[in-house]
Amino acid sequence: MKMSKNHEGVWDACLKVIKDNVSLHAFKTWFEPIVPVKLDGQVLTIQVPSHFFYEWLEENYITLLKKVIKKELGAEGRLEYSIIMENNQTNTTPYTVKLPALNKKALRNSPVSMPINVNENQIRNPFIIPGLKKVNVDSNLNPSYSFDNFVEGDCNRLARASGYAVANKPGGTAFNPLLIYGGVGLGKTHLAHAIGISIKNQFPNKTVLYVGSEKFAHQFIDAIKNQTTNDFIHFYQMIDVLIIDDVQFFSGKEKTQDVFFHIFNHLHQNGKQIILTSDKPPVEMQGMEQRLLSRFKWGLSADLSAPDLETRMAILEKKMYGNGIELPKEVVEYLAYSINTNVREMEGALNTLLAQASLNKKAITLELAKQMVDKFVKNTAREVSIEYIQKVVCDYFDLPLEILKSKTRKREVVQARQISMYFSKKMTKSSLANIGAHCGGKDHATVLHACRTVTNLSETDKQFRSYLEDLEKKLTIQ
Ligand code: ADP
Ligand code: MG
């Protein structure tokens, strides 16, 4: 690699290679209009005229683009798009959105030979096209659920790391099967796809298949009906990396468990990788045959828990980036603070907010976000969280959040801490002990004392009372 490259130089070099690999007509249509805009480390940003243009490049030329980027910028080289959008909201200047490159094509499996006669009239199983010896197995992977888009946090460290290890050496680690478990909307499906995508990128010849357990069970029932269970089994035994999502769905379904048991054994014995997800760990799975449960325990079970605040903010930022959206920081913070148990729900809130804003042609403000969250999460008995209270109090007094959570005895910090405790007791259902734990590891007596101090001060000190009133307004969601 040459030193001190600039975006124009890099793009020129890319164009030279591209020109040799596409028709002149395609080159003029799809590559001449591209303007290189920025080189940031190993990330080249190119500007394209429309979203359609972006999709066309991604669909048709991404493999070539990836190759030339790698050649020019090294293995870590990446491509980003910037798209000029007409701004229909305020008829001012157009704005640009940034989008990452996806590379859908790389997720395709090469055709696989089937050890069965597929030339019979009847369609043997849902994946097989009659008259073809080689069949195309759609990997069913979603390119936006990649490792790049999966935010790491304490909540997912083990699961992510083991997924990563499996992706680098499918079938060759002790994590076989890898079972990822956790509650609804915490990223099981995302992580399962990410492993599959990474395997396809590193080992293009491996046949990867993602399938929901429900679909698997239905295919099996159809196979029984059509007397093609052998084909069904053969089909699954051809897969190199089998990802089955939500295996808890198999519980109580004895026959499905049976057939899966056989497929599992075959794959495992042949060094193929199996990745499973479930809403519970194996020990808590009901209605599952013992022999299958014991297989699940052969490898590694890794859990996903609810992400903490920083991780939630990072996830929202990733999502926005993936969709080419920018939002005011306070809005992102607010969403992350107020929706704290389910990532899918938080994303839903983000999407609703975007839809609302574009339908009503309103700017996305904190006010709008508050109204929307109020409607959107009404049914989940939402309460203001201790974290949110601390954040609002810190912003108000212009203190860093870490100081509030520390043990420092500085006067202004002590006061802010006491106020946080006071509002936490008043506005959340948390126990005194829990509130104390969040505020610098205090015990319940300290919290009680803080609440009394705040009440007393508000009765005697006018200035202090006005602080409290301001804060209460900020904390109450209209
Ligand atoms: P599950 O399968 O556990 O119910 P999903 O994988 O469908 O959950 O995740 C729900 C949503 O939350 C998805 O859109 C996913 O991208 C997002 N998500 C969850 N965890 C993360 C994370 N750590 N980083 C980025 N996005 C995440
Ligand atoms: Mg899921």
Side-chain angles (χ1 to χ4, degrees):
M1 259 204 328
K2 278 172 289 165
M3 291 310 286
S4 70
K5 298 185 163 198
N6 72 10
H7 55 277
E8 280 158 349
V10 169
W11 184 239
D12 269 349
C14 292
L15 282 182
K16 285 212 181 75
V17 181
I18 292 170
K19 205 166 189 172
D20 290 338
N21 284 282
V22 302
S23 73
L24 185 63
H25 182 67
F27 186 79
K28 281 193 181 306
T29 315
W30 300 110
F31 294 95
E32 276 185 359
I34 295 175
V35 184
V37 288
K38 195 172 70 176
L39 181 65
D40 193 357
Q42 249 99 290
V43 185
L44 176 71
T45 306
I46 57 173
Q47 190 176 73
V48 297
S50 66
H51 200 272
F52 172 73
F53 205 102
Y54 157 75
E55 286 182 352
W56 187 271
L57 288 175
E58 278 286 306
E59 187 59 34
N60 296 282
Y61 297 109
I62 190 63
T63 316
L64 177 60
L65 279 167
K66 282 231 155 168
K67 275 193 187 131
V68 296
I69 291 288
K70 284 232 163 78
K71 182 166 171 291
E72 289 308 311
L73 297 173
E76 296 294 299
R78 274 204 294 124
L79 188 64
E80 260 180 36
Y81 299 84
S82 152
I83 305 173
I84 307 170
M85 306 293 270
E86 288 302 321
N87 192 341
N88 55 7
Q89 282 191 10
T90 47
N91 68 35
T92 51
T93 44
Y95 66 105
T96 59
V97 300
K98 292 197 319 180
L99 284 168
L102 288 173
N103 201 3
K104 282 189 202 157
K105 217 177 199 161
L107 305 181
R108 295 195 187 135
N109 289 316
S110 343
V112 180
S113 301
M114 280 291 149
I116 45 174
N117 181 9
V118 291
N119 287 319
E120 290 180 14
N121 292 337
Q122 191 185 28
I123 297 180
R124 315 282 309 206
N125 82 40
F127 291 99
I128 293 180
I129 304 150
L132 287 182
K133 189 120 205 267
K134 295 216 164 198
V135 293
N136 284 309
V137 179
D138 188 344
S139 69
N140 288 324
L141 293 168
N142 176 349
S144 41
Y145 282 167
S146 63
F147 272 119
D148 281 349
N149 294 340
F150 191 77
V151 175
E152 184 174 358
D154 287 340
C155 55
N156 60 35
R157 212 171 301 282
L158 174 67
R160 188 184 172 284
S162 43
Y164 206 75
V166 163
N168 290 331
K169 225 176 157 196
T173 67
F175 311 151
N176 201 11
L178 174 64
L179 175 77
I180 301 162
Y181 67 91
V184 188
L186 295 182
K188 301 182 294 293
T189 298
H190 186 143
L191 193 54
H193 278 271
I195 300 168
I197 292 168
S198 173
I199 293 175
K200 277 305 311 179
N201 284 329
Q202 301 181 75
F203 310 93
N205 294 329
K206 287 206 187 288
T207 306
V208 178
L209 175 65
Y210 166 92
V211 63
S213 53
E214 206 160 337
K215 183 162 174 196
F216 180 94
H218 287 149
Q219 285 174 351
F220 178 56
I221 292 170
D222 285 346
I224 297 177
K225 247 192 271 164
N226 301 329
Q227 299 180 312
T228 55
T229 42
N230 279 338
D231 296 352
F232 174 87
I233 294 168
H234 277 135
F235 173 82
Y236 276 96
Q237 290 179 341
M238 299 296 304
I239 307 297
D240 296 315
V241 178
L242 179 61
I243 306 170
I244 301 204
D245 204 358
D246 290 318
V247 285
Q248 76 274 2
F249 183 80
F250 288 166
S251 57
K253 299 186 174 58
E254 270 171 47
K255 287 224 163 108
T256 309
Q257 288 181 36
D258 264 4
V259 79
F260 179 59
F261 180 76
H262 289 295
I263 292 167
F264 182 105
N265 286 341
H266 181 94
L267 294 177
H268 199 273
Q269 275 157 20
N270 287 284
K272 306 300 176 69
Q273 180 69 45
I274 301 151
I275 299 150
L276 309 169
T277 79
S278 159
D279 65 354
K280 299 178 199 62
V283 282
E284 289 170 27
M285 285 185 204
Q286 306 278 324
M288 207 69 94
E289 278 179 49
Q290 209 47 47
R291 57 180 188 166
L292 203 52
L293 281 181
S294 88
R295 294 294 187 278
F296 290 175
K297 292 180 203 156
W298 274 358
L300 178 78
S301 304
D303 77 308
L304 292 174
S305 51
D308 60 17
L309 182 68
E310 285 74 27
T311 312
R312 295 201 299 278
M313 302 226 316
I315 291 174
L316 281 175
E317 267 150 26
K318 270 267 171 355
K319 296 285 165 197
M320 285 159 31
Y321 169 68
N323 292 304
I325 307 155
E326 275 177 45
L327 285 186
K329 184 136 179 85
E330 55 180 6
V331 172
V332 179
E333 277 176 354
Y334 179 77
L335 290 179
Y337 279 118
S338 38
I339 306 173
N340 51 21
T341 50
N342 178 328
V343 180
R344 189 178 300 127
E345 198 164 272
M346 186 172 75
E347 259 183 77
L350 175 68
N351 292 338
T352 311
L353 182 59
L354 293 170
Q356 284 275 332
S358 68
L359 276 177
N360 305 331
K361 297 203 191 308
K362 278 190 196 161
I364 299 176
T365 59
L366 185 57
E367 211 48 48
L368 188 66
K370 281 183 178 173
Q371 288 167 12
M372 195 276 315
V373 165
D374 211 27
K375 272 192 220 141
F376 191 81
V377 263
K378 209 177 237 149
N379 303 332
T380 59
R382 186 172 48 90
E383 62 175 37
V384 177
S385 67
I386 302 178
E387 284 170 326
Y388 184 63
I389 292 171
Q390 290 176 328
K391 162 82 173 107
V392 170
V393 171
C394 282
D395 279 355
Y396 187 76
F397 292 114
D398 205 11
L399 293 171
L401 192 58
E402 303 81 64
I403 292 205
L404 190 95
K405 292 183 179 177
S406 76
K407 293 195 187 299
T408 180
R409 301 285 316 154
K410 278 204 190 123
R411 213 184 85 84
E412 69 273 21
V413 180
V414 171
Q415 194 161 77
R417 198 184 284 136
Q418 288 180 330
I419 292 176
S420 303
M421 293 181 190
Y422 166 83
F423 280 117
S424 298
K425 174 160 182 291
K426 189 166 168 186
M427 304 179 97
T428 76
K429 294 189 195 78
S430 293
S431 66
L432 293 174
N434 188 32
I435 294 171
H438 275 80
C439 299
K442 309 289 186 209
D443 62 15
H444 81 281
T446 312
V447 179
L448 210 53
H449 172 73
C451 294
R452 285 205 196 100
T453 311
V454 171
T455 312
N456 289 342
L457 264 177
S458 73
E459 280 159 10
T460 54
D461 183 336
K462 219 169 137 203
Q463 175 72 57
F464 189 82
R465 187 161 61 240
S466 81
Y467 289 160
L468 285 192
E469 283 164 3
D470 274 1
L471 279 166
E472 181 140 12
K473 249 184 243 145
K474 285 185 193 295
L475 287 168
T476 315
I477 289 132
Q478 296 88 3

